[in-house]
Amino acid sequence: MDKRQILSKFSADPEKYYKVKLFEEQGFQRKSCATCGRFFWTMDSKRSNCPKDSEDTYSFIGNPPTKKRFDYTQAWKEVESFFVKNGHTSVSRYPVVCRWRDDLYFTIASVVDFQRVMGSKVVFEFPANPLVVPQMCLRFKDLENVGVTGRHFSSFCMIGQLSIPNSQGYWKDECIDLDFRLLTDQFGINKNEIVFVEDVWEGGGSFGSSLEYYVRGLELGNAVFTEFQGELGNHTTLDQKVIDMGAGLERFAWITMGTPTAYDCCFGPITKNLIKKVGIDIDTELLSKYFVEIAKNQGRFSNLLEVKEHAIKNVGLSPQQVTKIINPLEGIYLIADHLRTLIFAISDGALPSNVGGGYNLRIVLRRIIGTMQRLGLKLDLNEMIDWHIDYLKKTYPELKEKRDDVKTIIEVEAKRYEESKIRMQKIADNLKSKGQTPNVDDLIRMYESDGITPDYLKELEVIPEIPSTFYSRLSDLHQSVTKKEKEKLPLQNISETDLLYYKEDPHQFDAKVLKAFDKFVVLDRTSFYARGGGQEPDHGKIAGFDVVDVEKHGNIVVHELKGGMPKEGETVSCVVDSQRRDGITKNHTSTHILNSSSRNVLGSWVWQNSAFKEEDHARLDITHHSALTEKQIKEIEKLANSIVQKNLPVKIENFDRGTAEQKYGFRIYQGGVVPVKSVRIVSIKDFDVEACGGTHVKKTREIELIKITRTKRIQDGVVRIEFVSGKTAQDYVKQHENEQEKMREEKDAKEEKDKLREERKEQTREKIPLLLEQISQSPIGTSKVDEIEIHTTEAGRFCYSTSDQYDEYFHINFGEKLIKNDPKASYCGIFDAGSTVRAIIYSGEQSKNKNAGAIAKAISEIFGGSGGGNTRFAQGGGKDKSKKDEAIKKAKSMVLE
Ligand SMILES: [Zn+2]
Ligand SMILES: [Zn+2]
C-alpha cells in the first residue's frame, strides 16, 4: 500500500482523522507547510512552516525550552510518574533479544513487546491497559551515523504508551491530551512550541492515522492509531484498535538539557569521564554551533561526509580543531553508544558471532576496538561497562546481575578480534598492493567470510570511506529469519487430529482412517508423536503396516506407511513402538536437564540453539562462545545426573501465553516461538522451565543416567553436546568400562613384561663380575661358563655365546667389561631379534685381530646381511638364522688363527 495515498485521503478529511478534542479546546490551528505542503497543527499563529522546515529547528541546543533539566534516567522517572498518575500501569522493559517473534532477532520498537504471532497473523497481548514501558530497542541500520549526527543511537529507549480503546483504555482524544500535558505540565514546555504533524502508518496489513509531535524541530514522539485493515478504499475497521505512541527517551532528555548532542545527556557520567580521560578541550559554544549545523543539514546532502564538511566550513573550525576535538569526540560517543548496546544484548542472552543477529553485535564491538585503536585511546572496557551499568541500574536494575557475564563475553570476543587481525592484515595488505578498492558487495562478502570490518579497512587506508549503504545492507541481511515452508498435502476439509499423546497416551488404540493417499494416512485420533521440536517421530504399526514417519500439518497428523495401506473409513488397530518412544522420551527430557545444567555451569548466555532427539542418541546445540573443556563437560554431566538422582517431578501445565511469560519470563522459549495462545509449560521444579510440546518422563530418575559422548564447536557461538540417556547410557558406560578394562589389562601385561626384563637385566648385570672372574682363570683350550663358550690360546682368548638367555643388553655390557678386564680377549654375542639374527663384537686392544669391524662385516655376510663398526666395537646381522655356527667358526678363525 502507498503511504502517500493514505495520507492524502486522511488529510482530505482532517475532521474525521486528525482533529482531536484538545485541538478544539486549546485553539490549535491546522496549517499547510509553506515549504513542503504537509499539514500540521499549532497554537502559534505566526508559524508557517512544518517543524522540519522551520527556522527554530534545533534551536534548543544551547538554549533549551524548559526551565527544568532532566538527564536520561530522570527523564524516564518524569514520564513514568506522569502516566502512572494518569491511570497507566508501568511495565518493565522486555528483552532486547526478541524471543517471542521468529521474524525478528532484536526488539526494534516498544509495540513489538506486545505483538504475538498466531499462525500467520500478528495479534496484540497486553499485560495491562493502558500501559507505559521504557523499551530498549536495537537498530543497526544507521551505524555510520552513530556518534556523528548527535542523535543517532544503535540502542535507544522507546517510551511506549499503549492503549486499547475499551472500558479501561482510551482512543485519540485522550491520547493526544495526555501527550500534550506530558510536554506542558510535566516537562514545562510552552504550548506554543508544540507542533503536531499529520501522518499515517501502515504495516502487516493494517493502517491508521498518526500524529507526530515536535518541539523545535525535534520529533519527540509519534502517536499511531491503528484502526483499519485491508486495502485502502476497500478496508474494514479492526476489531481490536490499538494506540501505539512511541517516543524517544533520549530526545526528552536532550530537549530539556540543550546539550550539543543527545549523547552528552544520555550516558550519565560516561561521556564526561571519557572526555576527561582522553583530555579533549571542550568548547561547548563551538560544539553547539557545529552540531546544530549537522542536525539541520542532514538530508540536504547525499552523504554524511558532505554534511560534516559543510558544518566545519560554516562554523569555521580549523583542521586542528577537527582532529583535536571533533574526531575524538565522535569516537567517544560511538564507544559509549555501542557499548551500551552490547550490555543490553549480552544481558538478554545474545552472543556476538557471525550468524544471525550476532553479526551486528560483533560488528559494534569491532567498531569500538577499532575506534579506540584509530584514535589511540587507552580505555578500559570493564571500567566503562561498570559506569554504564551503575548509571542504568536506576531504570534497569536487572543489568546488575549480568555484570560479570557481560564482561566475560566482551573479553572473549575482543581477544578473538585481536587474534583474527593477523589474517585480516594479510588480506588488507593484499588489496592495497593490488591497488584495489572494494565496493559494497566486496565489503559485505569480506565481512561475512573473514570478519573484516570496513572500519578496519578504513583505518588501514584500503578504503577512503565506509559506503553509506554498508550497515543498512548488512543489517537487512541479518535482521530477520527466513522460514522453511512445509510440503503442501491435500488435507482440505479434514478435521483436526485428536492428540492422544497429550492425554492418556495409549500405545495400543483403535482409530478411524479419515484419509489415505499415496503412502499417507490421516486418523481421527492418534498416539503417534509427530516430528516436532527436534523430537523424532514415533514408529509402530497401523493396520499391520509399518509407520515410518509422522508429520504434523497444521493440526492434522499425517502418518507415512510402508508395505501397504488401509482403506478410508476403515477402523484400524494401531500400535506405537513403546521401546522407541521410551528412548526418545528419556533423551528429550535429558535435553531440558542438560540445557539448564549447561547454563548453570557456563553462564547466562547459554540458550538452546536447536536439539535432536532419537531413540538411542540425541544432541543439544547451545549458544556458547568457545569449545567446552573436559572440566566443563564433567561439571555439566555431574549436575545433570544430580538432577536425575533427585527424582524431581516433571510437571506439565497449560497457561495462557501472556500469563506464562509474566510468570516465568522469556526463558520459556528455548525451543523457539510458540505460535498458539495456550502454551504447554514443562517444568522440572525451578531448575528448568520451558514451553514444550514433546514427550517427557514423569520423574527424573526414570532417565537413569545421562552420559555426554562428545562435544564440538559446530559454528561460531554454537556448541553441540551429543549424549545418550537411559539404557543406552548404561550400555555406553559398560562398553566404555569394558574398553577401559581391556586397555588396563594390556597395560598391566606390558608392565609385567617390562618388569621381568628389568629383573633379568639386573640379574645378568650382577652375574658379570663373577663370569669375568671365572673366564680369567680358564686354562688353555676350550671351556664353558654359564652358556659362554671360551677358547683360550697363547695368542689370546675368544669368547662367544649364542644362548637365548642373553640379550643385546647383556652382550654389550659383558663384551665391554671383558675386553677391559682382559685386553687380549675378543667377544662375539649372537642373538635373535625378531625374524633376524644379530651379532655384537668386541675386540680387546691386545687381541690378535684387533678389528671388531672386520669381524662384524665378515660374519654379517654369512648371515646374508651387513655390519660394521670400529676396531673395538662393531655390530651386524642378517636374516639367515641357520648360519650361526658358520659365523662363529669364521669369527673364531679371524681371532685366533
Ligand atoms: Zn515542511
Ligand atoms: Zn520438552
Side-chain angles (χ1 to χ4, degrees):
M1 235 182 316
D2 190 351
K3 257 185 81 175
R4 277 172 312 175
Q5 256 181 349
I6 308 174
L7 181 58
S8 78
K9 173 146 171 98
F10 284 2
S11 281
D13 193 356
E15 290 286 325
K16 184 173 174 191
Y17 294 102
Y18 294 107
K19 193 166 184 186
V20 290
K21 232 167 151 187
L22 178 93
F23 292 168
E24 194 137 14
E25 284 169 4
Q26 296 284 341
F28 271 81
Q29 287 176 279
R30 181 173 187 259
K31 295 186 176 184
S32 171
C33 174
T35 308
C36 71
R38 285 189 80 173
F39 291 100
F40 61 92
W41 297 76
T42 178
M43 289 175 72
D44 182 355
S45 56
K46 291 196 286 289
R47 186 179 289 278
S48 56
N49 276 309
C50 80
K52 281 191 179 122
D53 298 313
S54 293
E55 272 305 298
D56 66 352
T57 290
Y58 288 92
S59 64
F60 66 88
I61 294 178
N63 177 30
T66 62
K67 287 204 177 60
K68 299 172 193 169
R69 304 277 173 268
F70 302 116
D71 78 347
Y72 191 63
T73 53
Q74 290 161 345
W76 167 246
K77 291 291 165 215
E78 291 297 314
V79 173
E80 184 185 35
S81 77
F82 173 81
F83 280 109
V84 168
K85 201 161 62 190
N86 284 286
H88 293 66
T89 303
S90 176
V91 175
S92 297
R93 77 166 175 104
Y94 282 45
V96 296
V97 184
C98 192
R99 308 272 181 193
W100 57 96
R101 288 268 299 264
D102 60 6
D103 54 343
L104 290 174
Y105 288 120
F106 298 112
T107 308
I108 54 168
S110 47
V111 69
V112 169
D113 293 356
F114 315 108
Q115 291 173 335
R116 295 294 175 276
V117 179
M118 283 267 273
S120 58
K121 252 175 65 185
V122 171
V123 297
F124 286 99
E125 277 179 14
F126 282 53
N129 181 35
L131 65 82
V132 63
V133 61
Q135 184 54 43
M136 280 313 289
C137 300
L138 305 195
R139 290 187 190 176
F140 299 96
K141 267 179 183 298
D142 301 318
L143 282 187
E144 79 275 10
N145 287 339
V146 176
V148 181
T149 62
R151 62 189 169 91
H152 282 91
F153 292 84
S154 61
S155 56
F156 61 98
C157 173
M158 188 188 278
I159 302 162
Q161 170 200 356
L162 290 112
S163 164
I164 293 173
N166 58 18
S167 57
Q168 295 130 28
Y170 48 79
W171 192 235
K172 290 182 193 178
D173 285 340
E174 193 171 344
C175 175
I176 296 302
D177 186 64
L178 283 165
D179 294 340
F180 181 74
R181 285 195 288 124
L182 171 70
L183 299 179
T184 52
D185 299 353
Q186 199 78 14
F187 280 84
I189 293 169
N190 187 308
K191 297 172 178 184
N192 281 326
E193 300 259 21
I194 301 164
V195 181
F196 289 92
V197 177
E198 293 181 3
D199 202 358
V200 293
W201 181 90
E202 70 94 13
S206 46
F207 62 95
S209 58
S210 76
L211 282 165
E212 297 168 338
Y213 53 91
Y214 289 79
V215 174
R216 301 223 190 142
L218 186 67
E219 185 187 344
L220 290 174
N222 184 15
V224 172
F225 309 106
T226 308
E227 197 173 355
F228 307 110
Q229 64 184 353
E231 284 295 314
L232 183 68
N234 211 355
H235 57 271
T236 54
T237 304
L238 287 165
D239 298 336
Q240 193 187 39
K241 293 196 275 189
V242 176
I243 290 182
D244 160 27
M245 195 294 292
L249 180 61
E250 282 78 3
R251 295 179 176 195
F252 270 77
W254 193 17
I255 200 128
T256 75
M257 300 292 276
T259 47
T261 73
Y263 314 125
D264 299 303
C265 57
C266 291
F267 298 126
I270 294 129
T271 11
K272 259 200 206 88
N273 287 355
L274 290 178
I275 288 168
K276 209 170 134 201
K277 233 181 168 158
V278 175
I280 307 172
D281 201 4
I282 295 292
D283 177 343
T284 309
E285 206 180 319
L286 196 77
L287 285 175
S288 293
K289 275 190 201 154
Y290 172 78
F291 281 106
V292 169
E293 283 296 317
I294 292 274
K296 280 181 115 163
N297 291 304
Q298 251 196 90
R300 282 185 50 201
F301 294 91
S302 63
N303 69 52
L304 201 53
L305 207 65
E306 285 173 40
V307 179
K308 273 185 75 174
E309 276 163 11
H310 180 85
I312 289 164
K313 207 176 105 217
N314 268 15
V315 179
L317 290 179
S318 68
Q320 210 192 6
Q321 282 172 313
V322 174
T323 359
K324 286 262 151 80
I325 302 172
I326 303 296
N327 291 349
L329 209 50
E330 285 175 351
I332 285 171
Y333 294 150
L334 179 150
I335 291 166
D337 167 89
H338 285 15
L339 194 58
R340 185 172 75 171
T341 298
L342 285 170
I343 290 170
F344 276 103
I346 297 168
S347 291
D348 290 349
L351 284 179
S353 74
N354 61 14
V355 282
Y359 258 107
N360 297 306
L361 304 181
R362 172 161 287 172
I363 213 158
V364 296
L365 181 60
R366 293 190 171 195
R367 271 167 63 90
I368 291 174
I369 299 170
T371 303
M372 281 176 9
Q373 286 168 347
R374 180 164 52 86
L375 298 171
L377 308 179
K378 298 252 174 307
L379 301 172
D380 180 350
L381 285 170
N382 282 344
E383 187 182 34
M384 289 191 280
I385 292 166
D386 283 334
W387 289 343
H388 263 306
I389 292 179
D390 288 338
Y391 179 63
L392 290 166
K393 70 184 178 195
K394 286 168 229 159
T395 312
Y396 304 113
E398 69 279 8
L399 296 177
K400 276 184 307 192
E401 295 153 34
K402 303 291 171 57
R403 196 189 291 262
D404 292 338
D405 285 353
V406 171
K407 288 180 184 174
T408 303
I409 296 301
I410 289 187
E411 200 180 308
V412 168
E413 185 60 20
K415 215 174 123 212
R416 195 161 282 160
Y417 179 53
E418 289 303 325
E419 285 163 3
S420 69
K421 269 190 148 177
I422 302 164
R423 194 168 41 87
M424 284 167 44
Q425 174 92 46
K426 243 193 217 157
I427 296 170
D429 287 349
N430 193 21
L431 281 170
K432 242 176 143 175
S433 70
K434 283 185 190 156
Q436 285 173 343
T437 309
N439 62 24
V440 184
D441 292 311
D442 297 332
L443 289 174
I444 285 177
R445 207 191 53 244
M446 284 165 67
Y447 181 66
E448 304 224 307
S449 58
D450 295 295
I452 301 180
T453 59
D455 305 71
Y456 179 74
L457 294 176
K458 188 183 160 192
E459 190 188 323
L460 294 184
E461 295 173 340
V462 177
I463 52 171
E465 276 308 317
I466 301 166
S468 56
T469 52
F470 177 83
Y471 289 111
S472 62
R473 288 266 310 271
L474 193 72
S475 165
D476 284 345
L477 282 173
H478 296 285
Q479 188 181 35
S480 56
V481 196
T482 44
K483 277 187 275 182
K484 202 169 80 191
E485 286 278 322
K486 242 184 202 168
E487 190 193 347
K488 283 257 184 302
L489 294 178
L491 300 170
Q492 302 84 350
N493 305 322
I494 297 178
S495 49
E496 288 182 7
T497 313
D498 184 6
L499 306 176
L500 302 177
Y501 50 80
Y502 284 153
K503 298 175 179 171
E504 321 79 61
D505 192 24
H507 287 193
Q508 291 196 22
F509 60 97
D510 289 340
K512 203 175 145 199
V513 178
L514 297 184
K515 182 137 183 127
F517 59 101
D518 293 340
K519 48 196 175 175
F520 302 112
V521 166
V522 179
L523 306 171
D524 62 340
R525 48 191 230 132
T526 191
S527 258
F528 283 94
Y529 182 84
R531 174 180 289 111
Q535 178 169 339
E536 286 296 281
D538 282 339
H539 289 170
K541 290 198 189 286
I542 291 179
F545 305 118
D546 285 338
V547 177
V548 292
D549 200 2
V550 189
E551 286 262 12
K552 226 172 147 189
H553 292 253
N555 289 321
I556 299 166
V557 175
V558 179
H559 311 77
E560 185 182 332
L561 304 191
K562 210 175 116 185
M565 289 283 286
K567 287 190 183 64
E568 273 177 25
E570 213 181 315
T571 295
V572 288
S573 67
C574 313
V575 186
V576 174
D577 179 343
S578 296
Q579 197 187 320
R580 173 178 165 83
R581 162 73 82 74
D582 186 55
I584 292 176
T585 298
K586 284 175 183 168
N587 280 339
H588 180 125
T589 316
S590 303
T591 311
H592 288 241
I593 296 174
L594 278 172
N595 191 26
S596 279
S597 298
S598 303
R599 182 162 50 252
N600 276 304
V601 169
L602 302 171
S604 65
W605 53 84
V606 170
W607 279 74
Q608 174 178 312
N609 188 65
S610 66
F612 177 84
K613 305 107 177 180
E614 244 296 357
E615 181 184 352
D616 54 356
H617 68 283
R619 58 175 185 256
L620 165 69
D621 294 347
I622 55 166
T623 53
H624 183 57
H625 50 75
S626 309
L628 301 186
T629 63
E630 272 308 311
K631 189 167 164 263
Q632 288 167 333
I633 297 168
K634 285 250 151 59
E635 270 180 62
I636 293 167
E637 201 176 76
K638 195 174 152 206
L639 179 55
N641 282 309
S642 79
I643 296 298
V644 171
Q645 282 313 313
K646 276 185 192 151
N647 204 22
L648 302 177
V650 180
K651 207 160 109 192
I652 291 167
E653 291 167 287
N654 285 294
F655 285 100
D656 179 67
R657 183 166 44 190
T659 313
E661 286 173 2
Q662 295 294 317
K663 194 169 155 80
Y664 298 112
F666 291 93
R667 280 261 166 237
I668 58 172
Y669 294 134
Q670 293 289 331
V673 170
V674 178
V676 287
K677 186 121 182 74
S678 170
V679 292
R680 190 169 180 258
I681 294 292
V682 179
S683 57
I684 303 171
K685 288 279 178 182
D686 44 16
F687 181 72
D688 184 82
V689 183
E690 293 180 29
C692 183
T695 61
H696 305 85
V697 300
K698 291 202 168 54
K699 291 189 101 180
T700 56
R701 204 180 286 158
E702 289 171 43
I703 293 169
E704 298 169 56
L705 182 71
I706 297 172
K707 192 78 202 151
I708 295 173
T709 53
R710 200 164 87 119
T711 70
K712 196 179 159 204
R713 188 161 175 248
I714 54 164
Q715 70 180 51
D716 200 10
V718 180
V719 173
R720 171 162 296 172
I721 298 174
E722 291 175 9
F723 66 95
V724 286
S725 71
K727 194 179 168 297
T728 324
Q730 306 277 21
D731 289 349
Y732 178 87
V733 170
K734 241 180 253 157
Q735 198 196 343
H736 207 69
E737 273 173 2
N738 283 345
E739 274 168 20
Q740 294 237 308
E741 181 63 23
K742 219 175 122 193
M743 270 164 64
R744 230 185 343 260
E745 276 170 11
E746 277 170 10
K747 202 173 147 226
D748 286 354
K750 192 174 169 285
E751 270 171 11
E752 185 63 22
K753 224 170 122 188
D754 287 351
K755 212 175 124 201
L756 267 170
R757 236 177 70 197
E758 276 307 311
E759 274 174 17
R760 242 172 87 188
K761 276 186 190 170
E762 194 60 31
Q763 283 168 6
T764 50
R765 197 182 297 132
E766 280 167 6
K767 211 153 82 173
I768 290 173
L770 186 66
L771 284 172
L772 292 175
E773 178 64 29
Q774 286 171 312
I775 289 168
S776 68
Q777 287 164 19
S778 59
I780 304 274
T782 61
S783 56
K784 189 172 176 178
V785 181
D786 213 349
E787 297 296 315
I788 296 174
E789 308 280 347
I790 309 155
H791 291 254
T792 311
T793 63
E794 289 294 340
R797 184 175 277 139
F798 176 61
C799 304
Y800 73 91
S801 177
T802 56
S803 163
D804 60 8
Q805 71 165 291
Y806 297 124
D807 60 3
E808 182 176 10
Y809 176 83
F810 171 82
H811 294 305
I812 288 176
N813 263 278
F814 178 76
E816 181 83 49
K817 291 201 173 77
L818 176 73
I819 60 167
K820 206 172 156 198
N821 209 37
D822 179 3
K824 280 186 169 179
S826 292
Y827 180 71
C828 178
I830 290 177
F831 62 99
D832 291 346
S835 62
T836 62
V837 58
R838 292 191 55 211
I840 300 287
I841 317 290
Y842 277 95
S843 294
E845 268 179 27
Q846 295 164 30
S847 68
K848 193 175 167 233
N849 178 282
K850 233 177 26 184
N851 195 344
I855 298 168
K857 202 164 171 251
I859 64 172
S860 293
E861 270 168 26
I862 296 169
F863 286 131
S866 61
N870 57 29
T871 53
R872 198 179 67 87
F873 167 71
Q875 51 185 331
K879 286 208 171 102
D880 198 344
K881 287 186 182 176
S882 66
K883 300 272 174 67
K884 283 180 194 168
D885 288 343
E886 197 184 318
I888 291 295
K889 221 173 129 193
K890 176 75 185 167
K892 195 169 125 190
S893 70
M894 284 177 80
V895 171
L896 297 177
E897 287 166 14

